[in-house]
Amino acid sequence: QQPVQSPQAVILREGEDAVINCSSSKALYSVHWYRQKHGEAPVFLMILLKGGEQKGHEKISASFNEKKQQSSLYLTASQLSYSGTYFCGTEIYGGSQGNLIFGKGTKLSVKP
Amino acid sequence: IAGITQAPTSQILAAGRRMTLRCTQDMRHNAMYWYRQDLGLGLRLIHYSNTAGTTGKGEVPDGYSVSRANTDDFPLTLASAVPSQTSVYFCASSNNRNTDTQYFGPGTRLTVL
């Protein structure tokens, strides 16, 4: 049931773009995205609640394709502060409402 | 406003000992959660609570117990710690259980020897 995140890791130069994908084998009710810096707690980025929904947070946006059971996180013109590990948390139809199943994470490193 | 606090920050524990990890939130959130985070495995839900007085099992509940006597506190107890419980433990809360933002505490790093 654990969603699969890809890539596992990515290295960028400042100003470059990246896409992180989150795919599930189960039908999804919602997808949550979090960023965690080393030694810190995960920090909420955004929730996507329905198919086709897209959201943005600064230069970070996400989409949710309900039919494909996947979500993508888009990081545009990356900044040094974007470095960290990104996790998707999925809420599955038929699962315990509100419980999130997290992917293993994608480690993003932004270099000057 | 502190948000969510966890104690202790870190702990080294001998196998077989009993340990309680504390979690307190001041946001009056109804739902609370305990996760463990292990390298390469992401965050896994241990137990959750919809509201004071109720608790439920997550993905990896074995060896752990929780209680929710009031809205603010959600302690996690390891009755007899084992080395496989070495992990970083995060407490989180959300306003309600219906697809809501979860806010995480700073974590407790536990080592069981």
Side-chain angles (χ1 to χ4, degrees):
Chain A
Q1 287 188 342
Q2 185 175 35
V4 176
Q5 287 187 233
S6 62
Q8 291 183 329
V10 59
I11 299 174
L12 299 175
R13 292 288 180 188
E14 258 187 305
E16 292 182 337
D17 302 338
V19 180
I20 299 172
N21 298 304
C22 174
S23 296
S24 174
S25 61
K26 302 285 187 180
L28 299 177
Y29 182 78
S30 70
V31 180
H32 304 224
W33 285 97
Y34 287 81
R35 177 172 62 205
Q36 184 179 30
K37 294 187 179 289
H38 182 69
E40 299 181 6
V43 174
F44 170 78
L45 292 176
M46 63 191 80
I47 296 176
L48 299 113
L49 293 175
K50 53 187 177 182
E53 184 174 16
Q54 295 187 357
K55 280 195 173 179
H57 173 72
E58 299 174 344
K59 292 184 179 179
I60 300 174
S61 62
S63 63
F64 178 21
N65 187 321
E66 195 174 23
K67 286 186 177 179
K68 292 186 177 179
Q69 298 171 180
Q70 67 182 37
S71 176
S72 296
L73 188 71
Y74 306 93
L75 299 101
T76 306
S78 58
Q79 305 168 17
L80 295 176
S81 62
Y82 286 2
S83 292
T85 301
Y86 290 78
F87 293 96
C88 65
T90 54
E91 194 177 1
I92 296 170
Y93 271 110
S96 183
Q97 189 177 28
N99 280 3
L100 296 179
I101 301 175
F102 285 89
K104 294 182 179 180
T106 295
K107 185 174 182 179
L108 177 70
S109 300
V110 181
K111 307 292 185 184
Chain B
I1 296 176
I4 300 179
T5 58
Q6 292 185 236
T9 302
S10 64
Q11 182 76 44
I12 299 174
L13 189 66
R17 298 294 297 268
R18 180 184 179 90
M19 176 73 191
T20 296
L21 308 185
R22 300 185 297 279
C23 174
T24 300
Q25 53 104 357
D26 62 5
M27 298 177 281
R28 308 301 295 171
H29 282 172
N30 289 313
M32 296 187 75
Y33 313 83
W34 273 106
Y35 293 91
R36 61 178 288 172
Q37 185 174 37
D38 303 290
L39 194 64
L41 295 178
L43 292 151
R44 292 181 292 168
L45 182 65
I46 304 171
H47 285 287
Y48 65 90
S49 169
N50 292 339
T51 187
T54 69
T55 62
K57 294 182 179 180
E59 295 175 71
V60 288
D62 295 342
Y64 306 94
S65 63
V66 292
S67 61
R68 187 90 183 275
N70 57 61
T71 298
D72 299 342
D73 301 300
F74 191 42
L76 176 74
T77 297
L78 290 69
S80 180
V82 295
S84 62
Q85 293 177 309
T86 294
S87 187
V88 179
Y89 291 86
F90 287 101
C91 178
S93 72
S94 63
N95 194 30
N96 61 63
R97 289 267 296 160
N98 296 322
T99 310
D100 204 352
T101 304
Q102 293 188 18
Y103 297 91
F104 284 78
T108 293
R109 181 175 294 277
L110 181 68
T111 302
V112 183
L113 301 176

